[in-house]
């Protein structure tokens, strides 16, 4: 098919005619039919009657493309037909499956290339839910008759696992629904809901129960639950637990990483935590004018503002450092030399002390992700 213009010459290229109709003639002047033509970055498709198509075009093995009212093929953009939304990729084809875009956004297109909205999608063992705008949701989703489910930052639905939202802890069962129960919150639930629980494998809680006494508990993470494996009566600072400073004899309130263990023996059993043996040259630097303040140092001499560690490895009641663990409060400006160590008959100067046998049990369970939380009452645990 040829078309001859007003000067009698056969046309080449694009020819607009009628009511927004378009056709194309090659360099041989033959009209394009059932084929593509490009002009610069714009691509067209001409149907069996020679007209450029508009709207959706199905072709090949379940492939789909879209041409606008200007007949140009859509690329890297959306198109809607009625209530159905499509996305056309860089090759002009409508996408199927999961599509990641922008900052951690996710959408899904079915085998018919239509975007999922207000519906689920399953891929293997992973479940997603796509909301009214087509984006996969994250966080809590309320639905049905008081039902609740949760989706992580990867948009995957939680199943058989816990999720902490603010100060509230949920458990989601094998069908993805939050488990409903009337049982009161247990102490293990409180431990699991703490912020520090998200990075810890062991948590030592020290809850004040007297003027200079407290109850120490060791909690071990097992799967998604926390199990109590030690309860010990402890002594704390003369000033109890609170806001401390150098010389205040107050056990510092807060959460601290337990960085390493130390003691009199050459070795000690731990669950991965490092251990140091005290030597005659070992000091804990508590002189605030010393540039190595609040650290362990091996020196030939240190002034009397510093703690000579070996002096506390003698016979009871001067055996506090027969075994100890460091509460790492570096940069807290709340004092120095805070440890969990062996108990004698006196309050401490800010440390936490328990019996030697309990100290050995405690250290044997501590790894590299162990933390201590010192509080004045159990309710304060939720602050950490």
């Amino acid at each position: 098919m040829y078309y001859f213009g007003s000067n009698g010459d056969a046309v080449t290229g694009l020819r607009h005619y009628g009511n927004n109709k378009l056709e194309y003639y090659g360099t041989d002047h033959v009209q394009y039919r059932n084929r593509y033509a490009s002009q610069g970055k714009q691509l067209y498709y001409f149907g069996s009657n020679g007209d450029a198509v508009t709207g959706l075009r199905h072709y090949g093995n379940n492939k789909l493309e879209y041409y606008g009212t200007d007949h140009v093929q859509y690329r890297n953009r959306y198109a809607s037909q009625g209530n159905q939304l499509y996305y056309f990729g860089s090759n002009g084809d409508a996408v199927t499956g999961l599509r990641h875009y922008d900052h951690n956004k996710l959408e899904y297109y079915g085998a018919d290339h239509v975007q999922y909205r207000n519906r689920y999608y399953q891929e293997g063992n992973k479940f997603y839910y796509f909301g009214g705008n087509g984006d996969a949701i994250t966080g809590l989703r309320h639905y049905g008759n008081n039902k609740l489910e949760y989706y992580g930052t990867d948009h995957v639905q939680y199943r058989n696992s816990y999720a902490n939202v603010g100060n509230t802890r949920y458990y989601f069962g094998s069908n993805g629904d939050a488990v409903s129960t009337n049982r009161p919150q247990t102490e293990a639930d409180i431990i699991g809901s703490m912020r520090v629980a998200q990075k810890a494998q062991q948590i030592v809680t020290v809850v004040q129960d007297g003027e200079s006494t407290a109850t120490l508990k060791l909690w071990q993470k097992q799967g998604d639950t926390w199990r109590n494996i030690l309860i010990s009566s402890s002594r704390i600072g003369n000033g109890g637990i609170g806001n401390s400073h150098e010389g205040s004899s107050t056990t510092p309130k807060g959460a601290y990483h337990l960085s390493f263990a130390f003691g009199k023996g050459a070795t000690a059993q731990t669950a991965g935590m490092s251990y140091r043996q005290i030597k005659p040259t070992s000091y804990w630097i508590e002189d605030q004018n010393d540039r190595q303040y609040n650290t362990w140092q091996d020196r030939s001499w240190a002034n009397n503002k510093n703690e000579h560690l070996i002096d506390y490895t003698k016979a009871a009641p001067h055996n506090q450092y027969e075994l100890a663990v460091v509460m790492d409060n570096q940069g807290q400006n709340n004092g120095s030399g805070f440890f969990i160590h062996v108990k004698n008959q006196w309050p401490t100067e800010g440390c936490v002390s328990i019996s030697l046998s309990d100290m050995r049990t405690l250290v044997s369970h501590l790894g590299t992700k162990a933390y201590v939380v010192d509080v004045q009452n159990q309710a304060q645990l939720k602050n950490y």
Side-chain angles (χ1 to χ4, degrees):
M1 176 80 74
Y2 303 88
Y3 185 83
F4 298 91
S6 58
N7 63 355
D9 290 336
V11 302
T12 59
L14 293 173
R15 175 179 174 259
H16 296 268
Y17 77 103
N19 185 15
N20 192 34
K21 290 188 176 183
L22 181 67
E23 53 191 8
Y24 186 85
Y25 295 86
T27 56
D28 59 357
H29 310 287
V30 177
Q31 186 189 65
Y32 274 31
R33 294 195 172 199
N34 298 317
R35 63 184 292 192
Y36 295 96
S38 61
Q39 292 279 282
K41 294 182 179 180
Q42 297 178 321
L43 191 70
Y44 304 85
Y45 187 82
F46 298 90
S48 58
N49 64 353
D51 287 336
V53 302
T54 59
L56 294 172
R57 175 179 174 257
H58 296 269
Y59 76 104
N61 184 17
N62 192 35
K63 291 188 175 183
L64 181 66
E65 52 191 9
Y66 185 84
Y67 295 85
T69 56
D70 60 356
H71 311 286
V72 177
Q73 186 192 68
Y74 274 31
R75 294 197 168 196
N76 298 317
R77 63 185 292 192
Y78 296 94
S80 61
Q81 292 280 280
N83 293 325
Q84 297 178 321
L85 190 71
Y86 304 85
Y87 187 83
F88 299 90
S90 58
N91 64 352
D93 287 334
V95 303
T96 59
L98 293 171
R99 176 179 174 256
H100 296 267
Y101 75 104
D102 285 351
H103 182 61
N104 194 35
K105 290 189 176 183
L106 181 67
E107 52 191 9
Y108 183 81
Y109 295 85
D112 60 355
H113 310 286
V114 177
Q115 186 191 69
Y116 274 31
R117 294 198 167 196
N118 299 316
R119 63 184 291 191
Y120 294 95
Y121 167 68
Q122 179 182 356
E123 185 174 84
N125 293 324
K126 297 178 180 179
F127 289 83
Y128 305 85
Y129 188 83
F130 299 90
N133 65 352
D135 287 333
I137 67 172
T138 59
L140 292 173
R141 175 179 175 255
H142 297 266
Y143 77 104
N145 185 16
N146 195 33
K147 291 188 175 183
L148 182 66
E149 53 192 8
Y150 185 84
Y151 296 84
T153 55
D154 60 355
H155 310 285
V156 177
Q157 186 191 70
Y158 274 33
R159 294 198 168 197
N160 298 316
S161 59
Y162 292 91
N164 296 319
V165 181
N167 292 324
T168 305
R169 184 171 172 82
Y170 302 88
Y171 184 81
F172 299 90
S174 58
N175 65 351
D177 287 335
V179 173
S180 177
T181 176
N182 292 323
R183 71 176 177 82
Q185 188 179 40
T186 67
E187 193 172 0
D189 292 333
I190 294 172
I191 299 302
S193 68
M194 295 167 65
R195 292 193 305 275
V196 73
Q198 298 175 20
K199 59 184 177 181
Q201 286 295 320
Q202 298 90 32
I203 296 176
V204 179
T205 58
V206 181
V207 181
Q208 186 170 351
D209 56 18
E211 189 172 316
S212 63
T213 60
T215 299
L216 178 147
K217 294 185 180 182
L218 171 61
W219 300 86
Q220 174 72 48
K221 188 175 184 180
Q222 295 185 334
D224 290 318
T225 61
W226 288 85
R227 185 170 71 91
N228 176 237
I229 54 179
L230 174 67
I231 301 177
S232 183
S233 175
S234 69
R235 298 301 298 266
I236 53 176
N238 255 325
I241 293 174
N243 297 322
S244 63
H245 56 82
E246 195 67 51
S248 67
S249 294
T250 299
T251 301
K253 186 170 67 172
Y256 305 95
H257 183 235
L258 295 174
S259 52
F260 65 91
F262 65 92
K264 181 178 181 179
T267 61
Q269 180 185 349
T270 74
M273 175 176 282
S274 62
Y275 175 81
R276 300 181 189 179
Q277 183 181 20
I278 296 173
K279 301 175 183 178
T281 56
S282 301
Y283 291 87
W284 196 271
I285 305 304
E286 298 186 353
D287 182 350
Q288 291 179 285
N289 294 319
D290 194 303
R291 62 186 178 84
Q292 294 176 317
Y293 174 70
N294 200 21
T295 62
W296 170 302
Q297 296 296 323
D298 284 299
R299 299 179 175 180
S300 59
W301 178 87
N303 67 39
N304 60 10
K305 292 182 179 181
N306 304 294
E307 203 164 32
H308 194 202
L309 299 179
I310 203 166
D311 293 344
Y312 301 93
T313 60
K314 301 175 181 179
H318 303 290
N319 65 334
Q320 292 98 315
Y321 298 161
E322 184 167 346
L323 188 59
V325 178
V326 175
M327 291 189 239
D328 189 358
N329 67 321
Q330 288 292 315
Q332 299 292 320
N333 298 317
N334 58 0
S336 61
F338 294 116
F339 314 127
I340 304 175
H341 61 62
V342 176
K343 181 169 68 173
N344 57 25
Q345 67 265 41
W346 302 304
T348 71
E349 294 184 5
C351 293
V352 176
S353 63
I354 57 177
S355 70
L356 177 58
S357 61
D358 284 350
M359 196 69 214
R360 287 172 175 154
T361 299
L362 176 70
V363 169
S364 71
H365 286 92
L366 297 182
T368 59
K369 296 180 180 179
Y371 292 80
V372 63
V373 182
D374 305 320
V375 290
Q376 295 160 327
N377 54 67
Q378 189 179 60
Q380 290 178 349
L381 291 173
K382 295 182 178 181
N383 297 333
Y384 303 97

